[in-house]
Amino acid sequence: MLDALTAGALEDAARRRESLPTDRLEAMALQSRTPLDAVTILATPKPDSAGPHIIAEVKRASPSKGALADIPEPAVLAAAYQAGGASAISVLTEERRFLGSLDDLRAVRAEVTIPVLRKDFIADEYQLLEARAFGADIVLLIVASLAPARLVELHRFATSLGLSVLVEVHDEREIDAALDAEARILGVNTRDLKTFTMHPERFAELRARIPAGTVAVAESGVRSVADVARYRQDGADAVLVGEALVTDGDPRSRVAEFGRAS
């Protein structure tokens, strides 16, 4: 599944490149606003709560669950997240299985003042230029989908653009690869993207391998305040939440509840 998602994302990027060549995209990227320093924001404890930073996700669908929510105006949802105290917004831009787009990213960026993450299956510099040009402050790199040397190259290119990088892992070997790439934000996905099975205990098992000074993000498996509190007690600096927010009738209040969990 992960290989198919990455291959599809690269095919879609190649199609976009036909109408927007790399040189034009690079000019757009370098003329865009300076990205926010998401590393510092997520590494700084919240002044008003002992809870974790919440990265709230705009997510219409997933390969494991299918359609989750109709989100005709992602900017409106993102604004509600920010009003509820979210520290960052994650925007799914993958088109085929998550039903996202770069237009979603651009709309959210225009609406909120907190960092915005482009969440996609990134394996090419062109996609990183797109992220900068369309307003992202953070990009996702998934260790399981990249050779170690390629991870280093893409991480270095992203940071040269001023982007922060959330490097996603699922096991000890992948943490070592992330740290070799000098990751400063490290996300432990408790869902195995090769099989899409859940391992809720995985964050706690791996937390000790994340060094001080590196932002530790817990991803997946959040359904309740208790789930967020467990991740916080296990040492999460931030928790990324998608499905539990987009399927809730009051995302602003839900984000606030999650942000107070400790």
Side-chain angles (χ1 to χ4, degrees), residues 29-42:
L30 297 179
Q31 291 167 9
S32 66
R33 51 176 281 286
T34 301
L36 299 172
D37 181 2
V39 174
T40 298
I41 291 169
L42 296 177

Side-chain angles (χ1 to χ4, degrees), residues 17-82:
R17 188 185 284 115
E18 292 178 359
S19 58
L20 182 59
T22 302
D23 57 347
R24 286 175 50 202
L25 178 63
E26 184 174 15
M28 289 172 55
L30 297 179
Q31 291 167 9
S32 66
R33 51 176 281 286
T34 301
L36 299 172
D37 181 2
V39 174
T40 298
I41 291 169
L42 296 177
T44 303
K46 294 163 60 180
D48 57 344
S49 172
H53 291 284
I54 299 298
I55 305 173
E57 194 157 79
V58 177
K59 181 179 184 179
R60 293 187 177 90
S62 76
S64 60
K65 297 288 184 69
L68 296 173
D70 181 24
I71 306 175
E73 297 185 71
V76 173
L77 178 59
Y81 288 158
Q82 178 171 305

Side-chain angles (χ1 to χ4, degrees), residues 26 37 53-55 72 76 89 94 119 129 136 148 153 157 191 213 218 220 239 241 244:
E26 184 174 15
D37 181 2
H53 291 284
I54 299 298
I55 305 173
V76 173
I89 307 295
E94 196 275 341
K119 195 174 184 189
L129 289 170
E153 291 173 350
F157 186 72
R191 184 186 302 278
S220 298
V239 179
V241 189

Side-chain angles (χ1 to χ4, degrees), residues 88 97 214:
R97 303 299 292 273
T214 301

